[in-house]
Amino acid sequence: MFNRNSKKRQLEQGVNETLNIQGDFLPDLKKPSVALVVVLVCELLAITLSLSAFGLEGFDWQGFGMVSFAVQWVALASLLFLALMSGWLNKRHPAVAGLSCFAVVQLMTLCLFSVVISQYGDMLQLNYWSLGQFLLISMIISGIGLRYMYLQQQVRNQQQAHLHSQLQALQSRIQPHFLFNCMNTIACLIEVDPQKAEQAIEDLSELFRASLAEPKLVTLRDEVTLCERYLAMEKLRMGERLHTDWQVTDDAWNMPIPSLVLQPLLENAIKHGVHHLPQGGTIRIKVLKQNDELHLVVSNPLVQEARSSGNQLALNNVLARLKGHFGEKVKWNIEQNDELYTINIRYQLKKL
């Protein structure tokens, strides 16, 4: 019996954690834009209630002011309490969270209108039947409003989950031929140079660890370190035919970049450029920060007959992941002549 209850609690905990990963229960109520929308909707509600009570011909501006004041106070007080409870709500089952939100709004309505009726009931011709009327209206409006906010947030959560899965799929696309080449190289090194073979295994494991990790932003320094591991493995295969020239400005090292963004560009620079040249060549990677943008420039020797759609697929992969993190502010262009192929990507920075 104890084991069964323990397993049940573990299952419930896992479900709660899954719900929490899937997203928030309500939108971020601390955002000014959310508060502005709530204020505007409540003001429209106050106008509607006043028109239904006083009519258009005998519209009472003083009465409208009182209704607007009461509705806004209930809405803003409820918004404040729900914002403070957001962490707790996100960990609860949707039914519990929904009932809690509903109860908070009704509690705010009850408290405010109880004070108004007790202090100004005679002057405003209000009694406790009016309180019941206000509570009923609040139940209807808040039920519709909370349901709408919940459904809107679920749509956003699904979009984020879909984007997350896309980013993870794109990040995990390490080319199979690279893996086969690495394994063959390691197999050859085991006999002649065990130390290099061990280092190659460590480099390969780090690459796959980054590939299988959750999509996230890292610092440029971490990304360059990972790329150097990749280049070290390629250099074992290509020897002195492969050269790299890193040009990174000092203020760019701690800038945010999605993990494994540079590696596909380097891989294609080797596959479609340096690999096809008997004498090899140099890949130049330039990273600089200009104002609030980070520029990534990768250049490699151009071999016309080796150009294929593979490089474009890698670029599309990189751009899709960058747009997933930074939105539509990602810009790019390709420059090429008879000897050089250059990809220039830039995006507006945001904090880690």
Side-chain angles (χ1 to χ4, degrees), residues 328-340:
E328 295 300 322
K329 297 179 181 179
V330 178
K331 308 297 181 184
W332 63 279
N333 66 284
I334 295 176
E335 300 175 3
Q336 68 180 66
N337 52 39
D338 293 338
E339 298 181 352
L340 199 65

Side-chain angles (χ1 to χ4, degrees), residues 137-150:
I137 294 174
S138 175
M139 289 178 184
I140 296 172
I141 300 300
S142 62
I144 295 173
L146 289 170
R147 178 64 177 174
Y148 173 78
M149 294 173 70
Y150 168 73

Side-chain angles (χ1 to χ4, degrees), residues 88-131:
W88 182 86
L89 292 172
N90 294 334
K91 297 176 181 178
R92 305 278 83 82
H93 189 277
V96 175
L99 290 174
S100 301
C101 293
F102 186 77
V104 166
V105 178
Q106 306 322 309
L107 182 61
M108 294 298 105
T109 304
L110 180 62
C111 292
L112 178 68
F113 281 99
S114 295
V115 172
V116 170
I117 291 173
S118 63
Q119 298 295 324
Y120 309 103
D122 294 337
M123 181 179 67
L124 299 174
Q125 298 181 350
L126 297 174
N127 53 38
Y128 285 98
W129 283 105
S130 303
L131 177 60

Side-chain angles (χ1 to χ4, degrees), residues 58-59 73 79-80 93 101 114 119 143 173 178 195 217 237 266 268 280 311-312 317 327:
F59 191 79
W73 267 103
L79 192 67
L80 175 61
H93 189 277
C101 293
S114 295
Q119 298 295 324
R173 289 179 183 173
F178 168 69
Q195 187 174 357
L217 293 175
R237 182 171 61 92
L266 297 177
N268 277 274
N311 189 69
Q312 196 67 35
N317 178 326

